[in-house]
Amino acid sequence: MSNEEIKSAVIASTGTAGIVQQSPKISAKDFCAYFGKFKALNNINIDVPEKKVVAIIGPSGCGKSTFLRSINRMHEVVGGTITGSLTLDGEEIMKSDAVMIRRKIGMVFQKPNPFPTMSIFNNVIAGYKLNGHHNKKNLAEIVEKSLRQAALWDEVKDKLNKSGADISGGQQQRLCIARTIAINPEVILMDEPASALDPISTAKIEELIFELKKDYTIVIVTHNTQQAARVSDSTAFFYMGELIEYSGTKKMFTSPEKKQTEDYITGRFG
Amino acid sequence: MEIKSVLNNVEDAQSATAFKDSANEPEKKSFIKKIFGQSNLGDFIFEKLTLLFAVLVFLLVILMAYEMYTNSRLSIAKFGWGFLTSSTWDPVTEVYGALPVIYGTVVSSLLALLIAVPLGLGVAVFLSEIAPGWLEKPLSFLTELLAGIPSVVYGLWGIFVLVPWLRDSIEPFLQDHFGKLPFFQGAPYGFGMLAAALILSVMVLPIISSISRDILRSVPFTLREAAYGIGATKWEVTKLVLSNARSGLLGAIMLGLGRAIGETMAVTMVIGNRPIISASLFDPSYTMASVLANEFTEATSDLYMNALIELALVLFVITIIINMFAQLLVWSMNRKWKKG
Amino acid sequence: MEKRVELNTFSFFRRKIVNAVMLSLSLLAAIITIIPLILIFYYTISKGITYLNLDFFIHMPKPVGESGGGMANAIVGTLILIGIGGAIGIPVGILTGTYLSEFGNNKFGFMVRFLTDVLSGIPSIVVGVVAYTMVVIPMRHFSALAGGIALGILMIPTITRTTEEMIRLVPQSYREAGLALGIQKWKTTLLIVLRTAWKGIATGILLGLSRAAGETAPLLFTALGNRFWSTKIFQPMASLTVYIYDYAKAPFEDWNKQAWTAALVLILIISFFSLMFRIITRSKYKV
């Protein structure tokens, strides 16, 4: 049987075309996260499809950042532990090498954090170089490509030797995105990437996310529901460590299933 | 059953292709590069390497104590605790009692603190509570400069400037006006306890002032605001800050004491170097560190050398105890505010 | 409130006066502190300048009784001694400091941190005695190596603690950025964290080196001193500080004057370190 035939067979037998249209890029099953004895996340089940944007929303302390950080094992850095299953392309993330996982799953942080001792050029190439690639010819090419993808090239092409800390906050954040793109990840995690930025820079980041979706799977955490509505394909609502609702963004923002979700989205929370 | 296996097949096929896509570049690396470049081995080696050096520093302190102990066994066996209580230090008859030099060490250090503590705390208060920003920075710099002058330069200055000045002006003056007191007896030579205490006070002053300044600064500003809010004067606020910081300040003073006790060159050059116990500040004296500086290369017999190393061991133990207390006080002080 | 507190004018003025007196006293303390500094610098410069000429840097000490000569051997000796010290103290200090900040949040780390602070309070002459028993006795003669080891031990606390504190100042976000790029922890620490903290670490190193340059006591019976030209590390070696000590005690006026010049040169060398520090740290990227 060919692949197509299997697919149609499956679709026929299960009767739900939606499920098998694509195996998920990232998948969490009965996923829990702990900090010491504190349970930060409880039984999360979620699938992130490839080359889509999934937004995670919820009030402070709901566990959304913890979930995001677990995906590329950054929770370990701050001393978290997890149980259950979390997979990338069906492979258990916790059983893989953390370093390898982080190369496939890049991350952009809340506060722009370009390396202050490096030039813009070296910032973009930092991950690539420090991962042991030294092919000098490619470097300039990669830098230009990454900066173009991050919509920053035109603004910095004349000052690539300046410090990464010498540009505006919005530019710094796009520099961090370029730095992440440069190691050619499959997934980009964004932890409130625009919360430290002004409205104009925020708009630029949102546009950028829309562009990046063509090549990357993106998971974005935001406490700004409007932003989630603008940039994402599906949205997950976390509350008190639980996944309350996960559905298409349009549906979520027009006819949420749960009362809690509706309260949060409409700002009637708490 | 069938459906499930088919589903699995689909997943397998897809994850296999996904695997191939993602694995194209890193997989090509050589075995060695893979070990060092990909796995946690590099991290493991790095952590253990830094740990090794931390262990080395830890062992160093223990090794120092051990070295001095084994190299002073002759003296320890012969004199026992009497080493600390006997007042004869005589290389000719091979009798070594450290009491006079312990006395000289303690008295010169305490006298130095008598001068340096009020001054040092005064400077610390001035720097942290009073001085405007433009004055505070250069003043801090100057006091730190004072700490950077080598001990031997202090000694040089002591020999050629301080001692003649004491001999020609200060000591005769003291004798004329307070000559009845036991502290100002004997001929004013300049070299002696007074010169040593003065030099030491200048040397420990920057230590006391800079550590105290940092401690005063660590007291939260809200405390000061609260005091100002109920109408306290600047001095009253300062008193409150001082009393809140007293354990840390005590630590700073003890660190100064530790430094004074172990200070060698400047003291050796001006104290006169005679192992006698005298109440007069004009008389020469001797400290543990000075004995080591003067006599170590002249020690001809094994017992003499052992006695000197035992002296170093005593000095080591005293300064370690003082420093431990001092550090604990300073640490607990810093911690107190960080948590609150 | 039942009773209003009466404002007592007398006590108010008394408080004002006490305030003024105490604040003036603290200003006075600051002024008194500066006086010895000025005096020491004044004498070192005015007395040291007489012999400060090229001869002092390129000539050897003259035999007793002859005037003139220089301290070329002592200047080179001091540099070699702190070089040996640095070769020991810098790597140990940086790696221990790195351990303390990156892995040392445990009981052992606490103990090492505490012992390092305690080590910084151990008199330098005691370190000299230990270097004597550990190096001079087994080798059966005084050597520059023994002196350098003593200086190296003395540098460890300064460099360790500065390194630790400076690495701790590097925001966690840089570590996370490095790790999230799939860079191993050791590379992140060395190439990103330490590089960001480099200026601060350099301060610690230069502070350690300049303190070592001013040490005399630990050299008295390790490197000993040498009236002749020697750059051999297994032989006794001259140093500026030991020369200052010997020449200050000597009953020859000419030597006394040279001691002042040596003191001036020593202070110049130490100042050179802090100048060098400023140059090194004036890099193009800020922290």
Side-chain angles (χ1 to χ4, degrees):
Chain A
M1 272 205 284
S2 77
N3 244 0
E4 278 309 303
E5 279 171 309
I6 297 173
K7 244 185 197 172
S8 52
V10 169
I11 291 165
S13 58
T14 54
T16 42
I19 291 180
V20 200
Q21 72 186 37
Q22 192 187 30
S23 75
K25 188 73 183 167
I26 296 165
S27 171
K29 285 192 185 68
D30 302 327
F31 177 82
C32 304
Y34 302 83
F35 288 103
K37 288 202 171 140
F38 171 70
K39 197 170 193 178
L41 287 171
N42 187 27
N43 278 334
I44 305 297
N45 289 289
I46 195 167
D47 284 349
V48 176
E50 193 166 9
K51 292 187 183 166
K52 296 277 186 238
V53 179
V54 171
I56 302 179
I57 58 171
S60 304
C62 67
K64 56 189 192 296
S65 280
T66 304
F67 180 70
L68 192 77
R69 292 174 77 96
S70 304
I71 298 177
N72 73 342
R73 296 182 59 171
M74 289 300 287
H75 69 288
E76 292 168 6
V77 179
V78 287
T81 48
I82 62 180
T83 61
S85 155
L86 186 61
T87 58
L88 170 71
D89 293 325
E91 237 186 307
E92 273 300 338
I93 286 173
M94 288 306 139
K95 283 181 191 150
S96 319
D97 188 88
V99 168
M100 279 307 297
I101 281 297
R102 289 172 192 155
R103 278 177 212 176
K104 290 184 195 169
I105 308 178
M107 186 162 195
V108 177
F109 297 85
Q110 187 168 358
K111 229 180 120 223
N113 53 1
F115 302 126
T117 51
M118 295 183 194
S119 65
I120 291 174
F121 186 93
N122 283 327
N123 255 291
V124 177
I125 214 70
Y128 189 77
K129 252 189 184 166
L130 296 182
N131 275 325
H133 303 274
H134 289 291
N135 191 347
K136 285 254 166 66
K137 257 196 243 156
N138 280 335
L139 296 186
E141 212 173 282
I142 292 171
V143 168
E144 182 175 344
K145 188 173 150 255
S146 309
L147 284 172
R148 276 189 195 283
Q149 263 194 300
L152 188 62
W153 174 252
D154 292 332
E155 289 163 59
V156 299
K157 65 182 174 201
D158 299 324
K159 45 182 177 181
L160 291 176
N161 284 323
K162 279 203 155 186
S163 164
D166 278 350
I167 49 180
S168 77
Q171 290 173 327
Q172 286 186 19
Q173 192 63 299
R174 276 178 284 148
L175 176 60
C176 292
I177 293 174
R179 183 174 67 186
T180 306
I181 296 172
I183 54 170
N184 202 16
E186 295 160 30
V187 180
I188 300 177
L189 308 175
M190 297 187 173
D191 190 355
E192 309 206 16
S195 69
L197 305 179
D198 59 273
I200 294 173
S201 303
T202 303
K204 279 191 178 160
I205 299 280
E206 287 178 9
E207 267 171 51
L208 181 55
I209 291 172
F210 201 76
E211 286 298 311
L212 291 174
K213 187 166 84 164
K214 292 172 190 158
D215 300 306
Y216 307 96
T217 307
I218 295 173
V219 184
I220 176 172
V221 157
T222 175
H223 60 234
N224 180 342
T225 50
Q226 321 257 309
Q227 187 171 61
R230 285 194 298 265
V231 302
S232 69
D233 299 305
S234 353
T235 302
F237 173 56
F238 278 51
Y239 181 59
M240 304 271 284
E242 309 263 358
L243 174 61
I244 305 296
E245 187 168 347
Y246 177 42
S247 59
T249 299
K250 216 173 199 173
K251 179 172 179 297
M252 176 84 110
F253 282 90
T254 47
S255 51
E257 273 171 22
K258 300 266 169 61
K259 177 88 174 34
Q260 281 162 306
T261 316
E262 193 183 341
D263 285 352
Y264 182 73
I265 292 170
T266 53
R268 259 181 283 145
F269 214 83
Chain B
M1 281 303 278
E2 244 185 79
I3 294 167
K4 215 174 183 182
S5 72
V6 173
L7 265 173
N8 278 343
N9 277 339
V10 176
E11 272 188 42
D12 282 350
Q14 281 184 341
S15 60
T17 51
F19 198 63
K20 218 170 94 195
D21 285 346
S22 66
N24 50 8
E25 205 195 354
E27 293 298 314
K28 280 183 201 151
K29 291 189 168 173
S30 73
F31 177 72
I32 290 179
K33 208 162 183 190
K34 207 168 154 189
I35 295 264
F36 284 94
Q38 310 288 334
S39 78
N40 297 325
L41 189 67
D43 288 349
F44 178 81
I45 292 173
F46 179 63
E47 181 177 350
K48 295 306 165 203
L49 184 73
T50 60
L51 175 66
L52 174 76
F53 279 89
V55 171
L56 269 179
V57 172
F58 183 81
L59 289 180
L60 181 65
V61 179
I62 295 163
L63 180 72
M64 290 176 77
Y66 174 79
E67 276 289 329
M68 285 185 280
Y69 176 74
T70 51
N71 283 289
S72 59
R73 271 173 313 189
L74 284 181
S75 161
I76 291 172
K78 181 151 187 206
F79 304 112
W81 290 107
F83 184 77
L84 300 177
T85 54
S86 152
S87 58
T88 312
W89 181 271
D90 185 5
V92 179
T93 55
E94 294 264 34
V95 175
Y96 303 103
L99 191 62
V101 293
I102 293 174
Y103 171 86
T105 308
V106 172
V107 172
S108 61
S109 302
L110 291 181
L111 284 174
L113 285 189
L114 208 62
I115 303 164
V117 169
L119 282 176
L121 292 184
V123 174
V125 165
F126 185 76
L127 289 176
S128 87
E129 310 292 315
I130 300 168
W134 59 269
L135 187 59
E136 188 259 315
K137 270 221 169 118
L139 207 58
S140 295
F141 173 73
L142 288 179
T143 50
E144 265 145 43
L145 214 57
L146 204 56
I149 297 174
S151 173
V152 74
V153 176
Y154 276 105
L156 182 69
W157 183 79
I159 291 180
F160 294 106
V161 182
L162 181 66
V163 165
W165 184 58
L166 287 177
R167 183 183 60 216
D168 302 334
S169 318
I170 299 299
E171 291 184 352
F173 170 85
L174 289 170
Q175 216 155 29
D176 288 347
H177 293 84
F178 308 99
K180 295 215 170 70
L181 293 171
F183 311 122
F184 307 119
Q185 301 296 321
Y189 286 119
F191 289 98
M193 184 61 94
L194 185 61
L198 283 174
I199 280 261
L200 273 180
S201 67
V202 178
M203 297 180 76
V204 297
L205 206 157
I207 295 166
I208 295 177
S209 68
S210 70
I211 298 171
S212 303
R213 179 201 59 195
D214 292 347
I215 284 167
L216 292 183
R217 278 199 190 141
S218 74
V219 176
F221 196 70
T222 47
L223 188 84
R224 295 180 179 87
E225 279 179 330
Y228 280 126
I230 56 166
T233 63
K234 195 149 204 167
W235 167 244
E236 284 160 349
V237 173
T238 304
K239 265 203 300 193
L240 184 73
V241 171
L242 285 172
S243 76
N244 267 283
R246 57 182 180 271
S247 66
L249 295 176
L250 184 64
I253 293 168
M254 287 181 76
L255 283 175
L257 177 66
R259 180 59 61 91
I261 282 178
E263 184 45 55
T264 312
M265 300 317 297
V267 176
T268 308
M269 290 162 89
V270 300
I271 201 168
N273 298 331
R274 267 177 53 204
I276 54 166
I277 296 178
S278 162
S280 173
L281 301 181
F282 296 173
D283 277 339
S285 184
Y286 218 172
T287 69
M288 290 188 270
S290 314
V291 174
L292 292 171
N294 275 320
E295 302 182 13
F296 208 86
T297 48
E298 293 162 9
T300 40
S301 73
D302 284 346
L303 184 61
Y304 193 4
M305 181 56 87
N306 272 245
L308 286 171
I309 295 174
E310 189 179 352
L311 206 56
L313 182 63
V314 173
L315 187 57
F316 177 80
V317 171
I318 292 176
T319 48
I320 277 209
I321 291 171
I322 290 175
N323 273 286
M324 279 185 168
F325 273 111
Q327 294 295 357
L328 284 177
L329 286 170
V330 173
W331 276 25
S332 64
M333 189 72 206
N334 286 336
R335 210 162 270 214
K336 183 172 153 191
W337 298 127
K338 258 178 207 155
K339 272 189 187 155
Chain C
M1 251 187 221
E2 291 153 27
K3 238 204 281 178
R4 244 187 94 196
V5 180
E6 291 290 323
L7 193 67
N8 183 332
T9 28
F10 174 72
S11 111
F12 178 70
F13 275 115
R14 197 182 58 87
R15 283 171 58 202
K16 283 291 236 186
I17 290 166
V18 169
N19 184 46
V21 168
M22 296 314 286
L23 296 190
S24 318
L25 280 179
S26 91
L27 173 64
L28 187 68
I31 294 169
I32 292 176
T33 305
I34 302 306
I35 292 173
L37 182 75
I38 295 168
L39 286 175
I40 290 171
F41 270 88
Y42 169 75
Y43 279 101
T44 309
I45 293 169
S46 67
K47 292 198 171 206
I49 205 112
T50 29
Y51 273 89
L52 190 69
N53 49 35
L54 191 62
D55 284 1
F56 190 85
F57 292 93
I58 59 171
H59 284 286
M60 298 291 297
K62 285 268 166 70
V64 181
E66 290 178 44
S67 67
M71 290 193 187
N73 58 338
I75 294 168
V76 172
T78 289
L79 294 178
I80 292 175
L81 286 167
I82 57 176
I84 300 171
I88 297 162
I90 294 171
V92 176
I94 290 183
L95 284 166
T96 308
T98 306
Y99 175 80
L100 290 180
S101 67
E102 299 298 297
F103 310 104
N105 284 325
N106 49 33
K107 265 194 189 143
F108 179 69
F110 180 87
M111 258 176 2
V112 171
R113 204 170 290 130
F114 187 68
L115 275 183
T116 316
D117 278 359
V118 170
L119 187 66
S120 73
I122 292 172
S124 58
I125 193 145
V126 171
V127 176
V129 169
V130 173
Y132 178 88
T133 63
M134 285 195 321
V135 186
V136 177
I137 292 180
M139 284 177 59
R140 293 173 175 281
H141 58 83
F142 300 103
S143 67
L145 183 65
I149 287 174
L151 295 184
I153 293 174
L154 286 165
M155 285 179 204
I156 291 173
T158 315
I159 298 177
T160 302
R161 294 295 267 142
T162 330
T163 303
E164 187 198 351
E165 274 159 34
M166 292 302 150
I167 294 181
R168 275 182 196 278
L169 285 182
V170 176
Q172 184 67 14
S173 66
Y174 297 147
R175 291 184 183 83
E176 293 189 340
L179 294 175
L181 285 171
I183 303 167
Q184 292 103 318
K185 175 153 182 168
W186 69 275
K187 277 190 187 168
T188 305
T189 309
L190 284 180
L191 300 173
I192 293 170
V193 178
L194 251 72
R195 191 166 153 190
T196 308
W198 156 242
K199 283 183 198 176
I201 296 172
T203 331
I205 292 173
L206 286 160
L207 188 66
L209 289 175
S210 64
R211 278 195 193 156
E215 283 290 356
T216 317
L219 301 177
L220 288 175
F221 32 83
T222 51
L224 194 69
N226 195 332
R227 290 200 59 79
F228 305 103
W229 180 262
S230 169
T231 52
K232 298 189 186 80
I233 63 166
F234 295 111
Q235 295 301 322
M237 188 174 279
S239 61
L240 277 173
T241 48
V242 174
Y243 257 107
I244 296 171
Y245 178 55
D246 288 341
Y247 276 36
K249 291 190 306 177
F252 314 114
E253 204 184 323
D254 193 59
W255 282 20
N256 297 160
K257 282 182 186 163
Q258 291 202 26
W260 282 106
T261 307
L264 183 57
V265 171
L266 182 62
I267 286 178
L268 287 176
I269 289 178
I270 292 171
S271 313
F272 175 75
F273 276 118
S274 66
L275 187 75
M276 207 165 67
F277 157 68
R278 266 158 224 272
I279 292 169
I280 288 176
T281 55
R282 205 195 293 137
S283 83
K284 69 182 171 166
Y285 307 124
K286 15 178 171 125
V287 175

